[in-house]
């Protein structure tokens, strides 16, 4: 059997100095000039909250805020965001206090295995930053680029809606142990 | 990373003179996944991200580096373009992806857009043959033509709005109607020469008097490429202004003016709508290289065309 022809290794790219503000800390690293932002954040900066999911832009696990706008770090060249303000999921909490969104994700079951949560939190925080009273439709449109294999999405939508309410009223929205939706719509009991 | 167009052309000219291979990178949402799967990667990429000249967006001028999400959110933009741009991929991809990148989208094929190991297991294909001169996996025993499918959503909408595309290369500038930009070859894709880029797309102010629709067949409502897409426009009064274009079916987006002209010669209400949809269906020849079966995609071309014409209020 003949040896398969593999694509020859591409030449190693030269290094360049890269600096940015990651979670309000300025960092300066020497990175390969063709590096992808996800690799830089995970391997050089050490923000491991940014997850490598599909690495192809499908799953949204690698979302980070670049100047307040959610972007897929797996499809962004690091050189393009040089000097910009980057926020990862680590930057959402205030010290030991969880952000309202993180709080509701825990109480409403928006996070189960947790792998996709950083992406959802980043995207949802950008949504609530612009509009703290989103409709369910707006929430669904905002998270259309994120995949979750555990929750079935409804708890995530509930969490984001509840976080919006906390941001508006400054207090917990409803008792999270209340049922969020009627499990048997249309069923009114025997006597009706 | 060049900072203006002249600098970009100079860098490209230098690579061409040195005989080095390179790619342009705009948003990177098409190129970076392809590079990660080792689909024809080049040793150099030139980023267009810093070229502010390409970011201009007005009613009649759409820069190549305008993000698709900006096109969707711009209220002055033609509603057809906003709809077509809004149907592309997911919101986060649209924030990175650019108009120029969407027009120059690499053609896609079930046998090509796969990981390196997967492709090695089928002994490669014609589009990325790794020096083996492999045959096309879709059409057996031929390695002359690549039949990968062109799956950009913006192209048919822009063709229907009579857009003009403007190109720049180290040798100068040129422009042409968008329908002349594409070439029927999954590997060459378009008329761009080495070192040439799309700078912007212009629309006539008259195009804003047209009303249009875009209908797309895809596996899921979000993220997926069109398996078939039909755009149609007319001015609301005269049938002679009707234009239909399709995407996601062959290696180029098609302008169906020929079928439209034949149909409006003897127009006869809803019966003609059926006949025109049938002739558009007959004029396209999808091959088996995407998620859905080609016969189904072809049938859906008829359905989407009929739907578009009815939505436009054509009687």
């Amino acid at each position: 059997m003949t040896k398969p022809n593999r694509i020859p290794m591409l030449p190693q790219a030269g290094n360049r100095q890269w600096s940015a503000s990651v979670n309000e800390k300025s960092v300066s690293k020497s990175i390969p000039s063709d590096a992808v932002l996800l690799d830089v954040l995970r391997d050089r900066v050490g923000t491991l909250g940014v997850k490598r999911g599909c690495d192809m832009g499908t799953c949204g696990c690698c979302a980070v805020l670049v100047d307040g706008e959610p972007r897929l770090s797996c499809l962004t060249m690091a050189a393009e965001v040089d000097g910009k303000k980057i926020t990862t999921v680590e930057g959402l909490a205030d010290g030991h206090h969880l952000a309202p969104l993180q709080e509701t994700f825990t109480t409403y079951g928006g996070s189960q295995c947790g792998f996709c949560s950083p992406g959802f939190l980043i995207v949802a925080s950008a949504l609530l930053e612009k509009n703290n009273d989103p409709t369910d439709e707006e929430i669904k449109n905002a998270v259309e680029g994120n995949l979750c294999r555990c929750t079935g999405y409804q708890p995530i939508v509930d969490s984001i809606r509840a976080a919006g309410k906390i941001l508006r009223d400054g207090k917990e929205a409803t008792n999270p142990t209340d049922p969020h939706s009627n499990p048997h719509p249309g069923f009114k009991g025997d006597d009706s | 990373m060049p900072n203006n167009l002249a600098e970009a052309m100079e860098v490209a000219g230098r690579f061409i003179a040195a005989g080095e291979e390179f790619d342009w990178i705009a948003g990177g949402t098409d190129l970076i996944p392809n590079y990660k799967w080792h689909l024809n990667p080049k040793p150099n990429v030139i980023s267009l991200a810093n070229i502010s000249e390409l970011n201009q967006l007005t009613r009649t001028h759409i820069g190549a580096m305008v993000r698709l999400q900006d096109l969707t959110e711009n209220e002055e933009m033609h509603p057809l373009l906003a709809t077509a741009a809004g149907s592309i991929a997911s919101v986060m991809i649209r924030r990175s992806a650019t108009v120029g990148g969407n027009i120059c989208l690499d053609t896609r094929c079930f046998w090509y857009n796969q990981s390196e190991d997967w492709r090695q297991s089928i002994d490669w294909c014609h589009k990325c043959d790794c020096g083996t001169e492999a045959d096309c996996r879709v059409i057996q025993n031929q390695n002359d033509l690549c039949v990968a499918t062109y799956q950009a959503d913006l192209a048919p909408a822009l063709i229907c709005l009579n857009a003009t595309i403007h190109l720049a290369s180290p040798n100068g500038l040129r422009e042409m109607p968008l329908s002349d930009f594409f070439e029927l070859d999954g590997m060459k894709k378009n008329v761009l020469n080495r070192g040439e880029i799309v700078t912007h797309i212009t629309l006539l102010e008259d195009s804003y008097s047209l009303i249009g629709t875009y209908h797309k067949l895809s596996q899921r409502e979000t993220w997926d490429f069109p398996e078939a897409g039909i755009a149609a426009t007319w001015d609301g009064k005269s049938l002679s202004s009707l234009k239909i274009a399709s995407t996601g079916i062959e290696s180029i987006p098609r302008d169906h003016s020929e079928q439209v002209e034949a149909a409006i010669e003897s127009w006869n209400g809803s019966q003609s709508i059926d006949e025109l949809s049938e002739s558009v269906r007959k004029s396209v020849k999808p091959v088996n290289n995407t998620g859905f079966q080609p016969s189904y995609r072809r049938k859906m071309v008829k359905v989407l065309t009929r739907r578009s014409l009815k939505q436009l209020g054509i009687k």
Side-chain angles (χ1 to χ4, degrees):
Chain A
M1 198 182 140
T2 54
K3 209 163 178 257
N5 288 322
R6 288 240 173 199
I7 295 169
M9 288 293 280
L10 295 173
Q12 196 82 43
N15 275 18
R16 62 175 284 155
Q17 201 61 26
W18 181 82
S19 53
S21 148
V22 180
N23 298 332
E24 305 196 342
K25 258 188 236 148
S26 61
V27 291
S28 185
K29 302 277 168 191
S30 172
I31 60 162
S33 59
D34 63 350
V36 173
L37 180 59
L38 173 65
D39 297 332
V40 173
L41 287 176
R42 284 187 64 87
D43 302 343
R44 307 282 165 125
V45 183
T47 48
L48 295 176
V50 190
K51 298 295 178 207
R52 186 193 303 278
C54 63
D55 217 9
M56 292 278 152
T58 315
C59 70
C61 292
C62 62
V64 294
L65 295 178
V66 176
D67 285 347
E69 211 176 49
R71 295 277 291 272
L72 293 163
S73 62
C74 72
L75 296 185
T76 306
M77 302 293 282
E80 278 178 27
V81 296
D82 201 341
K84 299 209 171 160
K85 190 168 163 279
I86 297 168
T87 310
T88 67
V89 70
E90 287 96 336
L92 292 183
D94 173 18
H96 290 291
H97 301 282
L98 292 181
L101 199 54
Q102 291 169 312
E103 199 85 57
T104 53
F105 261 68
T106 56
T107 49
Y108 280 73
S111 172
Q112 286 186 21
C113 86
F115 195 83
C116 70
S117 302
F120 273 101
L121 288 167
I122 286 290
V123 171
S125 69
L127 169 72
L128 295 178
E129 186 72 32
K130 274 193 204 147
N131 172 12
N132 62 14
D133 189 12
T135 61
D136 281 11
E137 199 60 30
E138 283 168 335
I139 295 174
K140 284 176 190 170
N141 284 339
V143 298
E144 71 169 358
N146 294 69
L147 294 182
C148 172
R149 286 286 172 257
C150 303
T151 61
Y153 301 102
Q154 191 54 46
I156 292 174
V157 175
D158 291 342
S159 313
I160 298 172
R161 198 192 312 115
K165 189 148 173 47
I166 294 178
L167 289 174
R168 287 196 307 281
D169 305 345
K171 54 179 188 277
E172 177 60 53
T174 49
N175 181 356
T177 54
D178 284 348
H180 309 139
S181 57
N182 180 358
H184 304 294
F187 179 73
K188 296 202 177 71
D190 292 332
D191 49 345
S192 59
Chain B
M1 279 176 81
N3 291 313
N4 56 49
L5 202 53
E7 218 175 278
M9 291 302 130
E10 192 203 311
V11 176
R14 231 185 296 143
F15 278 133
I16 293 171
E20 282 202 44
E21 292 284 322
F22 66 94
D23 264 328
W24 299 101
I25 178 167
T29 53
D30 185 36
L31 190 91
I32 295 178
N34 285 355
Y35 270 48
K36 283 181 179 174
W37 271 347
H38 290 188
L39 294 165
N40 298 327
K42 312 273 166 61
N44 307 293
V45 289
I46 309 175
S47 169
L48 302 173
N50 282 359
I51 304 180
S52 54
E53 295 140 272
L54 303 181
N55 278 325
Q56 199 190 339
L57 177 62
T58 64
R59 274 166 73 87
T60 53
H61 179 118
I62 305 169
M65 285 299 286
V66 169
R67 311 280 157 176
L68 296 175
Q69 188 63 12
D70 296 340
L71 206 60
T72 314
E73 287 171 358
N74 190 317
E75 285 171 5
E76 286 194 357
M77 210 18 77
H78 194 289
L80 173 60
L81 281 185
T83 314
S87 72
I88 297 168
S90 69
V91 61
M92 265 194 293
I93 290 184
R94 289 201 294 274
R95 280 207 193 90
S96 298
T98 62
V99 172
N102 191 257
I103 296 296
C104 304
L105 189 73
D106 196 7
T107 51
R108 301 175 61 81
C109 175
F110 179 76
W111 303 94
Y112 170 71
N113 293 91
Q114 300 285 356
S115 64
E116 195 178 17
D117 291 338
W118 193 101
R119 286 179 292 121
Q120 189 198 337
S121 75
I122 57 153
D123 282 341
W124 316 107
C125 84
H126 176 48
K127 189 167 179 183
C128 184
D129 62 3
C130 302
T132 57
E133 296 187 6
D135 284 345
C136 176
R137 299 294 158 201
V138 182
I139 299 174
Q140 299 290 323
N141 302 324
Q142 66 95 10
N143 58 8
D144 306 320
L145 183 71
C146 171
V147 291
T149 310
Y150 179 79
Q151 292 184 299
D153 291 278
L154 277 185
L158 286 166
I159 288 175
C160 282
L161 293 172
N162 304 314
T164 308
I165 191 161
H166 299 254
L167 316 175
S169 72
N171 303 327
L173 310 171
R174 57 177 174 149
E175 59 176 73
M176 64 187 71
L178 185 61
S179 43
D180 296 346
F181 175 70
F182 301 98
E183 279 187 11
L184 186 61
D185 179 355
M187 286 165 82
K188 178 84 172 66
K189 298 173 289 200
N190 47 43
V191 300
L192 287 179
N193 295 321
R194 232 174 122 219
E196 201 167 27
I197 58 165
V198 175
T199 54
H200 61 282
I201 289 161
T202 50
L203 295 173
L204 296 173
E205 193 56 48
D206 293 350
S207 304
Y208 279 82
S209 62
L210 300 173
I211 48 173
T213 62
Y214 177 65
H215 286 273
K216 167 176 175 176
L217 168 73
S218 58
Q219 293 189 325
R220 290 158 290 191
E221 270 185 33
T222 184
W223 200 80
D224 273 322
F225 286 95
E227 303 269 336
I230 298 281
T233 55
W234 79 319
D235 62 5
K237 292 182 280 282
S238 107
L239 274 174
S240 60
S241 65
L242 178 63
K243 272 195 96 139
I244 300 177
S246 62
T247 186
I249 303 162
E250 296 170 3
S251 293
I252 51 169
R254 274 225 193 266
D255 182 354
H256 294 287
S257 297
E258 215 175 285
Q259 288 79 28
V260 172
E261 274 162 30
I264 59 178
E265 266 175 27
S266 55
W267 190 262
N268 180 22
S270 63
Q271 192 192 337
S272 294
I273 292 183
D274 280 349
E275 281 167 12
L276 175 54
S277 313
E278 177 64 18
S279 68
V280 171
R281 182 191 77 86
K282 277 188 180 153
S283 70
V284 297
K285 292 178 184 63
V287 292
N288 190 9
N289 62 357
T290 61
F292 288 139
Q293 285 298 310
S295 56
Y296 175 61
R297 283 157 67 205
R298 206 158 171 230
K299 273 181 200 155
M300 283 305 287
V301 166
K302 183 178 177 180
V303 175
L304 296 179
T305 312
R306 198 168 49 210
R307 225 177 259 173
S308 305
L309 294 174
K310 288 198 170 152
Q311 197 187 332
L312 287 178
I314 292 172
K315 286 179 190 128

